[in-house]
Amino acid sequence: MSASISIASDKDGDQELNIEHVVNVPYTHPSRSTFKSVILVLTCTFAMIVNNANNTSVSISLSTVGRDFHIEEIQLQWLVSAYPLSSGCLLLVCGRLADLYGRKKVFIIGSIMLAAFTLGCGFAPDARTLDILRGFQGIGAAATIPASLGILAHAFPPSRARSIAFSTFAAGAPVGAAFGMALGGVLTQVTDKTWRSPFYLETGLTVFCLIGGIISFDPDLPSQEKDRRVDWPGAFTITAGLVLIIFVLGQGEIAPQGWKTPYIIALLIVGVILVVVFILWQAHLEKLQAQREEQLRSYNENADIAQLSAPPTVARSWLSPPPLMKVSLWKRAKGRFAAMMLIAFLEWCSFLAWGFWAQLYYQNYCGYSPLLTVIRVLPMFVSGVLCNVFVAAVVAYVPVVFLLTIGTLGTSIACVLFAIINPNATYWAYGFPSAVITVFGADFVFAAGTLFIAMVAEPHEQSLAGALFQTMTQIGTSLGVTVTTVIFNRVTQQKARGDPAVIASPPLVSYQAAQWGSFAFGVLSILLSILFFYDVGVVGHKKGPMLKNEADYEHEQDKTVVLAGTRKNDDEAHSRSD
């Protein structure tokens, strides 16, 4: 059976999403018990939790690592950067490989790599070895996350089950970040192995995900694409370009001459050029693919008349594979696909920058230990879980513009609270409400965003679309921290006026200025949410509570699958029919 997605309104008059792109979706989901479905969702969610915990658990224990290896904390920058650098730059390639050769296969391979290199990090004898292992650790994460998104999209057809599954998976991002902070802070302070202990625990969690994936994931189905070649030139170009850009964002402020350092300028220019070349190359390959499909379509239409014995052959070479990423994907849903990506990018700029500077404020300005810092950001964990329970319950009823706007507004207000914070005031006045509401944006944007792109993307693009979403959040993390660090340093230098004591212990106004920068990113995401999604309805699904097998889904989906869009009245419907 296949279901096509079109522009329509349901009989209840709910707002529906006005999307031009029509997708013919073949559903061949095998029978699966409710218990197995629950294990599948939990496995994907734990993979997301581990991915984010690997980021935050290290950052909070940097000072301990520096003391253990007898090096300055600033020299440990690569310990933080290596993991998001490798994972962020390879997400797109791994997503494409998962769509082509099997999401379960890619998930399992990625989990094995992640477990092996995470365990290796726990036994690293020196900082350089640890940096290298962190880089390889990120490759495993780059494979598991886009594969997880594709697995969820394939396992749960449009239904309430899909809304619950994606909302639960979305909880892994903020919950993992908060869990990583708590994990890193507590284990570093109370265990004999100090900073090595989080790596051991994360290895165990990754093995748990590996076992869960083997048991619960459906067998991989052959790709629907006739041409399964990989665009390796494009993969190399985009990976190299992203590596250079993310490297510059992480190193530009600490380079010998800052952003004026010659190699920083050169690498940034080369990175941007490579990304532009990649986009042009993908547009060229998409055009070639369209021409091949048109030739085959023309042959099929005229085969009987012309009595042709064989279809026309099209010359293939390694320079003419299908595109790694269709440029037209960004134009779907009247450009709202691109808008959702940009909203996610800006939200992560704001959210992760808030977390970065809140943590430094507590530790460096207030002088709290890692454990006391964890206690102050712990409300993120609780509110993160509650937010996703809320999203799962209302995503099928509340227009997406409200979820996006309320979420990004929550993160923005959290940044403002730290931008005006009074160190002499009680924690409950500024710190607590900020920790509670900052996670709203990450939860709401991730859940609504991944549901939206799963609707717009075709079945063979699910992991790729998920990888694009993750890549935007990864780059947003790097850019948000970089821009706010520039603001922080400039304000500190202005206040110091050459006084080394002030530079060594930056004033409160520097931390506040950095949070104002985080707030600016949040405001931009609010404006984009309203501008592009004001007339868009819900992205969740009310029907199909927990589908047990394909027959149940077919019974519910005998009619056209409708993506939520603009309200149409009866007069407009009659005029279209005329």
Side-chain angles (χ1 to χ4, degrees):
M1 167 186 175
S2 67
S4 64
I5 299 172
S6 63
I7 303 174
S9 296
D10 65 17
K11 62 183 180 182
D12 298 324
D14 293 327
Q15 283 191 317
E16 302 292 335
L17 179 65
N18 186 10
I19 290 185
E20 295 176 322
H21 184 67
V22 177
V23 181
N24 290 320
V25 187
Y27 293 104
T28 55
H29 304 273
S31 178
R32 188 189 322 107
S33 67
T34 301
F35 176 76
K36 191 174 180 180
S37 296
V38 170
I39 298 300
L40 185 152
V41 174
L42 290 178
T43 298
C44 293
T45 303
F46 266 95
M48 176 60 81
I49 290 174
V50 170
N51 175 54
N52 285 271
N54 278 328
N55 268 319
T56 55
S57 64
V58 170
S59 61
I60 203 168
S61 59
L62 282 181
S63 57
T64 306
V65 177
R67 288 195 300 269
D68 195 5
F69 289 142
H70 307 291
I71 57 178
E72 295 293 329
E73 189 168 334
I74 194 171
Q75 295 178 273
L76 294 170
Q77 176 68 28
W78 272 109
L79 178 58
V80 177
S81 302
Y83 180 87
L85 180 66
S86 58
S87 63
C89 296
L90 291 171
L91 282 166
L92 197 59
V93 178
C94 291
R96 177 63 174 163
L97 292 175
D99 283 331
L100 285 177
Y101 299 111
R103 293 152 187 159
K104 181 176 182 179
K105 186 183 302 180
V106 170
F107 182 92
I108 291 174
I109 293 173
S111 296
I112 293 172
M113 287 189 63
L114 185 58
F117 289 112
T118 302
L119 183 61
C121 288
F123 290 98
D126 53 61
R128 179 170 297 180
T129 303
L130 185 57
D131 290 343
I132 295 172
L133 290 172
R134 284 280 289 169
F136 282 105
Q137 187 187 20
I139 298 175
T144 58
I145 300 306
S148 296
L149 279 165
I151 287 167
L152 289 175
H154 171 76
F156 299 96
S159 60
R160 189 166 67 88
R162 172 179 278 195
S163 299
I164 294 173
F166 273 76
S167 299
T168 305
F169 179 74
V175 169
F179 178 70
M181 285 186 186
L183 182 77
V186 173
L187 294 182
T188 297
Q189 191 160 332
V190 304
T191 62
D192 293 336
K193 295 297 184 180
T194 63
W195 62 268
R196 300 178 186 270
S197 298
F199 288 115
Y200 299 149
L201 180 56
E202 286 159 3
T203 301
L205 292 176
T206 305
V207 172
F208 169 80
C209 293
L210 173 63
I211 297 173
I214 294 173
I215 294 174
S216 65
F217 290 172
D218 300 330
D220 288 325
L221 298 176
S223 173
Q224 298 174 18
E225 296 189 68
K226 296 179 180 179
D227 189 347
R228 287 196 252 172
R229 293 176 297 158
V230 178
D231 175 21
W232 292 114
F236 171 79
T237 303
I238 188 59
T239 301
L242 290 177
V243 165
L244 294 179
I245 291 174
I246 295 179
F247 170 82
V248 168
L249 290 176
Q251 298 295 307
E253 194 64 15
I254 62 175
Q257 301 176 40
W259 291 95
K260 297 179 181 179
T261 306
Y263 74 81
I264 291 293
I265 298 173
L267 293 180
L268 179 59
I269 294 173
V270 173
V272 172
I273 291 175
L274 287 174
V275 171
V276 172
V277 168
F278 169 76
I279 294 173
L280 296 175
W281 174 245
Q282 296 307 291
H284 169 69
L285 292 182
E286 185 174 2
K287 184 177 179 181
L288 289 181
Q289 186 181 40
Q291 290 174 352
R292 288 194 293 263
E293 292 174 352
E294 181 60 31
Q295 289 179 10
L296 184 59
R297 188 181 303 112
S298 176
Y299 166 81
N300 290 333
E301 291 175 354
N302 299 299
D304 292 337
I305 299 175
Q307 296 183 350
L308 300 177
S309 58
T313 58
V314 179
R316 292 184 177 184
S317 72
W318 65 278
L319 285 175
S320 61
L324 188 69
M325 175 201 71
K326 291 182 178 179
V327 178
S328 61
L329 178 63
W330 295 80
K331 302 176 184 178
R332 291 185 191 167
K334 294 185 176 180
R336 292 189 179 109
F337 182 92
M340 185 64 79
M341 293 293 179
L342 190 54
I343 290 169
F345 167 79
L346 292 169
E347 167 59 30
W348 256 252
C349 284
S350 179
F351 173 61
L352 268 296
W354 175 91
F356 181 81
W357 292 109
Q359 176 183 308
L360 289 180
Y361 168 79
Y362 284 130
Q363 291 194 49
N364 294 350
Y365 185 81
C366 298
Y368 295 139
S369 67
L371 183 58
L372 291 177
T373 299
V374 166
I375 292 173
R376 279 159 176 77
V377 299
L378 198 59
M380 287 174 57
F381 180 86
V382 179
S383 61
V385 173
L386 294 178
C387 274
N388 282 278
V389 172
F390 173 78
V391 171
V394 306
V395 71
Y397 303 94
V398 178
V400 67
V401 65
F402 289 107
L403 295 176
L404 295 176
T405 305
I406 292 172
T408 51
L409 179 63
T411 302
S412 300
I413 294 174
C415 296
V416 170
L417 288 174
F418 261 82
I420 62 174
I421 195 169
N422 180 1
N424 297 320
T426 175
Y427 163 74
W428 305 101
Y430 297 95
F432 176 75
S434 182
V436 169
I437 64 177
T438 187
V439 78
F440 285 10
D443 278 338
F444 289 4
V445 170
F446 198 101
T450 50
L451 276 170
F452 180 83
I453 64 173
M455 286 177 164
V456 175
E458 296 182 12
H460 62 272
E461 298 172 332
Q462 292 294 334
S463 292
L464 175 67
L468 281 172
F469 190 89
Q470 285 292 314
T471 301
M472 296 302 290
T473 62
Q474 201 73 57
I475 298 175
T477 299
S478 299
L479 183 67
V481 172
T482 297
V483 171
T484 53
T485 299
V486 171
I487 296 172
F488 177 90
N489 290 342
R490 297 301 177 269
V491 173
T492 301
Q493 292 169 5
Q494 183 181 8
K495 296 296 180 181
R497 296 180 179 178
D499 186 354
V502 176
I503 295 177
S505 299
L508 174 64
V509 67
S510 298
Y511 295 93
Q512 292 176 327
Q515 292 287 11
W516 280 118
S518 305
F519 169 72
F521 287 117
V523 170
L524 289 175
S525 62
I526 294 172
L527 294 177
L528 286 176
S529 299
I530 297 173
L531 180 62
F532 282 92
F533 292 90
Y534 72 94
D535 61 344
V536 171
V538 298
V539 294
H541 307 276
K542 301 176 184 177
K543 299 178 181 178
M546 284 299 290
L547 303 170
K548 294 183 180 180
N549 54 48
E550 175 61 14
D552 296 336
Y553 178 72
E554 292 186 0
H555 178 71
E556 292 292 335
Q557 296 292 329
D558 285 336
K559 61 178 181 292
T560 301
V561 177
V562 181
L563 294 186
T566 335
R567 188 183 299 274
K568 306 286 192 304
N569 58 41
D570 292 337
D571 292 338
E572 292 175 330
H574 286 305
S575 65
R576 285 196 304 270
S577 64
D578 294 339

